[in-house]
Amino acid sequence: MTSTDSAQQPSKAPAKDPWDLPDVSGLVVGVLGGTGPQGKGLAHRLAKAGQKVIIGSRAADRAQAAAAELGYGVEGADNAETARRSDIVIVAVPWDGHGKTLESLREELAGKLVVDCVNPLGFDKQGAYALKPEEGSAAQQAAALLPDSRVTAAFHHLSAVLLQDPEIDEIDTDVMVLGEVRADVEIVQALAGRIPGMRGIFAGRLRNAHQVESLVANLISVNRRYKAHAGLRVTDV
């Protein structure tokens, strides 16, 4: 190759900065299971950070009562209306109702960015332990049930107690975010970053969701032994 040929080669585009995340402040966030501890805590933190939040429940009046408690402009609606009105939908329902809830909302969730934060766990006298769904994980079950949605996984390792505590201004933790499409993952990372103290960290594709969901069983053991509300920090990034 001559020097002239070499000069004509297109230059390689610089690698994208992984911390160059989109502005998500104008997106509406719906929380299915928003009357439960995890969902209510996430709704509280996101709304306090300035996000428009709608919490969903099977019963609209229950969701409305929970929204009134939270303030910060949070609205309450039944799950179907919450899904329809939201740009991003966080799934924070109990594991035993996960599949049935998503199946019933397939139409309303079509085209939406879905963030699954459900942890399939069992409990016995020895404590918490991970369950392995047939699809591999709760997130993969969501992806199978919602073929027309953009499914990601995040917010698994957060303490509902800390999320709901009005005396705590910052949540000192990282949020592991998984998904198939980089742009979708970055939206969820940016959403996590709206909450003071949090960072959203890319942690792989949905096939890696099982071990992320399962780690909650270990954190429950940590919390019981040390009387804590443990979270995670990823070092060197």
Side-chain angles (χ1 to χ4, degrees), residues 118-142:
V118 174
N119 304 303
L121 297 176
F123 295 86
D124 60 18
K125 290 180 180 178
Q126 296 182 58
Y129 60 95
L131 304 175
K132 186 145 190 185
E134 187 180 335
E135 298 85 355
S137 65
Q140 287 169 295
Q141 183 183 87

Side-chain angles (χ1 to χ4, degrees), residues 67-230:
E69 282 178 36
L70 289 173
Y72 297 108
V74 176
E75 293 183 48
D78 64 34
N79 283 331
E81 184 181 344
T82 299
R84 278 194 297 269
R85 291 178 55 197
S86 302
D87 302 303
I88 304 173
V89 180
I90 297 173
V91 181
V93 299
W95 166 241
D96 58 7
H98 181 263
K100 192 174 289 187
T101 299
L102 294 185
E103 200 168 17
S104 71
L105 296 170
R106 183 177 293 168
E107 187 178 326
E108 289 83 359
L109 290 170
K112 306 290 183 177
L113 176 53
V114 174
V115 186
D116 201 296
C117 70
V118 174
N119 304 303
L121 297 176
F123 295 86
D124 60 18
K125 290 180 180 178
Q126 296 182 58
Y129 60 95
L131 304 175
K132 186 145 190 185
E134 187 180 335
E135 298 85 355
S137 65
Q140 287 169 295
Q141 183 183 87
L145 291 172
L146 304 172
D148 299 320
S149 303
R150 297 139 53 209
V151 176
T152 60
F155 301 116
H156 302 89
H157 306 135
L158 306 181
S159 162
V161 173
L162 297 185
L163 288 173
Q164 294 186 85
D165 189 337
E167 301 299 315
I168 294 175
D169 294 324
E170 294 192 4
I171 305 292
D172 179 23
T173 194
D174 286 331
V175 172
M176 301 180 82
V177 185
L178 303 99
E180 301 301 319
V181 178
R182 181 165 182 163
D184 292 339
V185 169
E186 289 180 345
I187 288 171
V188 181
Q189 287 180 260
L191 187 66
R194 295 272 287 159
I195 299 173
M198 279 192 200
R199 294 187 307 172
I201 304 283
F202 171 65
R205 293 177 177 267
L206 287 186
R207 69 180 183 179
N208 293 321
H210 171 65
Q211 57 264 37
V212 172
E213 296 169 2
S214 300
L215 190 58
V216 175
N218 303 87
L219 289 176
I220 289 171
S221 298
V222 169
N223 289 338
R224 286 182 174 171
R225 174 63 60 91
Y226 298 101
K227 305 292 188 260
H229 302 292

